[in-house]
Amino acid sequence: QLSTTFYASTCPNVSSIVRTVVQQVMNSDSRIGASLIHLHFMIALSSDSIQSEKDAGPNANSARGYDVVDNIKTAVENSCSGVVSCADILALAAESSVSLSGGPSWDVPLGRRDSLTANRAKANTALPSPSEGLANIMAKFSAVGLDTTDLVALSGAHTFGRAQCRTFSNRLYNFSGGNPDPTLDSSYLAALQQTCPQNGDGTKLTNLDPSSADTFDNKYFTNLHNNRGLLQSDQELFSTTGSVTVSIVNSLSSDQSAFFDSFAQSMINMGNISPLTGSKGEIRADCKKVNGS
Ligand code: HEM
């Protein structure tokens, strides 16, 4: 029961306020759009609020963007005090991040409220890890009502942003019987081994999309065709023989506008995962904590 016109009378300019702040930050930080949508994903999948995910295992060190959410919140509060939730701000920031990076735009359904709790245990188990295998990741998406098309389309968000060596270095040296992941293209493997030496700094960053690092396009899917998916969870979408994901990758790699349409729809689906609405939850004053805590 979210609605794209939810703030039409209470905060009619909310979308452009959010977009302006995201644009400003992008001018000096080309990665911030990716970081904001990544944050939106983590929060959507753990159906929980900002505070809790921040320190959960799979996200430790990986959640950038909290400060920017605070800045957006301040800008929104200056125009319309106390009416727009942090959850809606993040959903709008995700859309701005994509459209300002060359991707699709869409009308964001709004009217979410912020949770009254923070649940670290749930964040730890509901979030997929890049090495846990396609079947498990499909099950985690399915558990929140997202199907295989959503999984493949949304994984296309790895068309921009960065990942730390520790999130894929298992593929580089000792993946199967002492060898690197056999699905990795050999020159890409060599480049990644240079970036991420064995026993090196696991927090070092590299581009998720080696062909167009900061642009939102469908090169992510052509990378998979060329065995240049960075995370194991990326490459498995294409390299798992017989998986239904293969034909979806094929169709999205051959048609960017089909990817954009699918992505926008799947973002709406992701944003619809059990939102708090009506009188449930609250409108947080500070996005990092429950009111009064
Ligand atoms: C399918 C399961 C997914 C897995 C296993 C996964 C895993 C990861 C990992 C390990 C990283 C690197 C984090 C780090 O190094 O700190 C990452 C980054 C990222 N993820 Fe995903 N992800 C998934 C789905 C998604 C979805 C659905 C979206 C958004 C719709 C998304 C958007 C991003 C973006 C944009 C980044 C880069 C963030 C930045 O540069 O700050 N991911 N993901």
Side-chain angles (χ1 to χ4, degrees), residues 202-262:
T203 65
K204 202 167 161 201
L205 296 169
T206 195
N207 295 325
L208 275 158
D209 177 352
S211 27
S212 59
D214 292 325
T215 309
F216 198 99
D217 54 22
N218 73 335
K219 296 242 171 64
Y220 169 82
F221 296 102
T222 42
N223 293 337
L224 300 186
H225 270 264
N226 296 324
N227 296 315
R228 290 168 171 250
L230 181 63
L231 306 178
Q232 185 186 331
S233 53
D234 294 322
Q235 194 59 49
E236 284 187 0
L237 296 173
F238 181 68
S239 299
T240 305
T241 312
S243 169
V244 290
T245 54
V246 176
S247 64
I248 307 173
V249 170
N250 287 338
S251 62
L252 302 184
S253 69
S254 64
D255 183 350
Q256 179 159 281
S257 64
F259 166 50
F260 282 6
D261 289 349
S262 260

Side-chain angles (χ1 to χ4, degrees), residues 31 34-35 37-38 41 62 151 154 157-158 161-164 167 233:
R31 181 184 169 198
S35 301
I37 191 174
H38 177 61
F41 162 63
S62 69
L151 169 62
L154 291 171
H158 291 169
R162 319 279 181 263
Q164 302 171 63
T167 65
S233 53

Side-chain angles (χ1 to χ4, degrees), residues 31-42 45 58-65 94 98 127-132 137-138 141 146 150-168 202-206 208 216 220 230-234 237 263 266-267 270:
R31 181 184 169 198
I32 194 63
S35 301
L36 286 166
I37 191 174
H38 177 61
L39 193 55
H40 180 52
F41 162 63
M42 293 193 298
L45 237 74
N59 316 329
N61 291 320
S62 69
R64 302 173 81 238
V98 170
L127 287 172
S129 115
S131 56
E132 71 178 297
I137 292 179
M138 282 167 76
F141 271 63
L146 297 175
D150 294 318
L151 169 62
V152 178
L154 291 171
S155 294
H158 291 169
T159 180
F160 64 174
R162 319 279 181 263
Q164 302 171 63
C165 289
R166 63 184 183 84
T167 65
F168 58 86
T203 65
K204 202 167 161 201
L205 296 169
T206 195
L208 275 158
F216 198 99
Y220 169 82
L230 181 63
L231 306 178
Q232 185 186 331
S233 53
D234 294 322
L237 296 173
F263 187 80
S266 292
M267 283 296 291
M270 185 171 88

Side-chain angles (χ1 to χ4, degrees), residues 85-156:
S85 68
C86 297
D88 278 347
I89 284 175
L90 198 51
L92 287 166
E95 192 280 335
S96 294
S97 299
V98 170
S99 57
L100 290 168
S101 304
S105 33
W106 62 94
D107 289 332
V108 181
L110 299 167
R112 297 168 190 78
R113 291 166 63 85
D114 299 318
S115 85
L116 297 170
T117 55
N119 182 343
R120 178 179 303 186
K122 187 165 177 193
N124 270 322
T125 56
L127 287 172
S129 115
S131 56
E132 71 178 297
L134 181 56
N136 277 359
I137 292 179
M138 282 167 76
K140 284 185 176 177
F141 271 63
S142 169
V144 294
L146 297 175
D147 67 17
T148 309
T149 304
D150 294 318
L151 169 62
V152 178
L154 291 171
S155 294

